[in-house]
Amino acid sequence: MIQANHQLDAKGLACPMPIVKTKKAITDLEDGQVLEVQATDKGSKADLAAWASTVGHQYLGTLEEGDVLYHYIRKRSNEPEVEKTFEHTVSLDEIESGDGLILDVREAAEYAFGHIQGAKSIPMGELESRLEELDKEKEIYVICRTGKRSDLAAQLLANNGYKKVYNVLPGMNEWNGKITKEI
């Protein structure tokens, strides 16, 4: 195991709670100290890496032991965190009437248990390596469970030249429309 200055137990928590707990725990660390986050949510691997990047912390990596993921994040500075949020958002109602691509960035299992019909699944952790699958000229509505992962994914797309990107808020946990299952 990697030597960490502090450990955070986020096992059994689903998105966005590992990030929420990490934000709180990292404020108590000194500059340069390392936080170990123990999580069982497979999506936390991409979520924590993307979050650390947006606020300037160094994501060192993840080790897996059985069902537990051990994430390591080095704190950058003690200045207040300024988290960028993606400015272009749409509501769930708006995506029903839109003709763009609905991009679901939840983990494959989350997608399989219920997604919006016609949505394309690219888990957050795979998005950067699969950008070529997306049309830069088409509107892209990015959705996840709560809006947190989709915010990070929308930022990633915009930073890679996608101009018609929208974060869908609040996310699948509030979706009341028809869902498709692939179990």
Side-chain angles (χ1 to χ4, degrees), residues 1-5 7 34 36 60-63 70 72 74:
M1 282 290 167
I2 296 172
Q3 184 69 2
N5 301 97
Q7 288 80 32
V34 174
E36 174 188 274
L60 301 173
T62 301
L63 297 175
Y70 293 87
Y72 295 91
R74 181 180 311 281

Side-chain angles (χ1 to χ4, degrees), residues 87-161:
E87 61 187 272
H88 303 289
T89 63
V90 295
S91 69
L92 289 168
D93 295 335
E94 291 175 271
I95 65 170
E96 287 186 283
S97 59
D99 64 349
L101 170 72
I102 298 171
L103 176 62
D104 193 320
V105 295
R106 296 175 299 153
E107 291 301 303
E110 293 174 281
Y111 180 84
F113 279 100
H115 59 272
I116 298 170
Q117 186 172 355
K120 179 174 184 66
S121 173
I122 301 180
M124 177 68 187
E126 299 174 18
L127 184 57
E128 194 163 16
S129 66
R130 295 176 59 187
L131 290 174
E132 74 283 349
E133 295 178 32
L134 303 172
D135 184 346
K136 285 188 178 184
E137 302 306 314
K138 192 168 186 164
E139 287 187 348
I140 301 174
Y141 304 112
V142 189
I143 194 165
C144 69
R145 190 173 71 84
T146 63
K148 184 65 182 166
R149 263 181 284 187
S150 56
D151 183 275
L152 298 170
Q155 289 180 51
L156 175 69
L157 290 171
N159 291 340
N160 281 280

